[in-house]
Amino acid sequence: MTRTVAREIAVRLCYCISENPMDANELLTQVFDEEYYSTLQSEDKLYNEVTDVQQQAYITRLVTGVYEHSAELDGYIENYAVGWKFGRISRTAVAIMKTAMFELLYMPDIPNKAAINEAIELAKRYEPPETVSFVNGVLGSFVRGEIKE
């Protein structure tokens, strides 16, 4: 499994938490249960490959990090989504941006450009072009305003 696929799984799990508020560790335990994961494999090709220890650690770090820093990340989105009310932004776009912002702020081993490019590519898979541009703009502004390179 590539890091891109692992990131997409993390974004989906972050989306799940936003739709069904539950503890991140509880959700991760459920998802990575062998039997449950095998049901996901039969339902969605994203889960075709079994995650290894390193990929599970990466997904866990992203999901728990976004969960623990959710209010902070929401604040950044509100601040940099100029002219938009937070409630108007799709939850998928929010999950994508929060995941990228967490990587940018708290995972220095991930290059900034990689975090942003991966977020844009995910947005292209799930959102219309105008939302992709919006996500790109918010993340670009966020990097210029918050990230010291």
Side-chain angles (χ1 to χ4, degrees):
M1 173 182 295
T2 64
R3 181 165 277 195
T4 298
V5 172
R7 183 179 283 108
E8 186 171 358
I9 289 172
V11 166
R12 284 191 183 184
L13 296 176
C14 290
Y15 174 86
C16 258
I17 291 171
S18 74
E19 287 296 303
N20 265 331
M22 68 186 301
D23 180 73
N25 289 314
E26 183 182 326
L27 176 62
L28 289 162
T29 299
Q30 177 184 2
V31 168
F32 290 129
D33 172 77
E34 244 180 82
E35 189 176 323
Y36 186 80
Y37 199 88
S38 69
T39 63
L40 291 174
Q41 288 175 316
S42 65
E43 296 172 4
D44 189 335
K45 67 180 179 176
L46 183 66
Y47 298 93
N48 279 350
E49 291 181 56
V50 177
T51 57
D52 64 23
V53 173
Q54 185 179 13
Q55 293 152 343
Q56 278 190 23
Y58 171 72
I59 292 167
T60 298
R61 176 107 194 273
L62 274 178
V63 174
T64 57
V66 169
Y67 177 76
E68 291 167 358
H69 293 271
S70 188
E72 171 193 8
L73 299 170
D74 287 348
Y76 284 127
I77 292 170
E78 285 184 39
N79 187 42
Y80 290 102
V82 178
W84 283 74
K85 298 273 187 212
F86 188 81
R88 286 188 51 218
I89 304 168
S90 87
R91 292 196 190 235
T92 303
V94 168
I96 291 167
M97 289 188 286
K98 286 169 83 167
T99 302
M101 288 175 173
F102 181 80
E103 285 181 319
L104 291 162
L105 289 168
Y106 298 106
M107 297 178 79
D109 56 313
I110 305 214
N112 292 347
K113 287 184 180 190
I116 293 171
N117 288 339
E118 291 286 332
I120 299 309
E121 290 305 312
L122 274 170
K124 287 178 182 177
R125 293 190 62 199
Y126 291 96
E127 296 289 346
E130 55 275 2
T131 303
V132 174
S133 296
F134 171 75
V135 168
N136 190 26
V138 170
L139 291 176
S141 296
F142 171 76
V143 167
R144 285 188 296 280
E146 304 296 329
I147 304 300
K148 310 295 183 253
E149 290 195 56

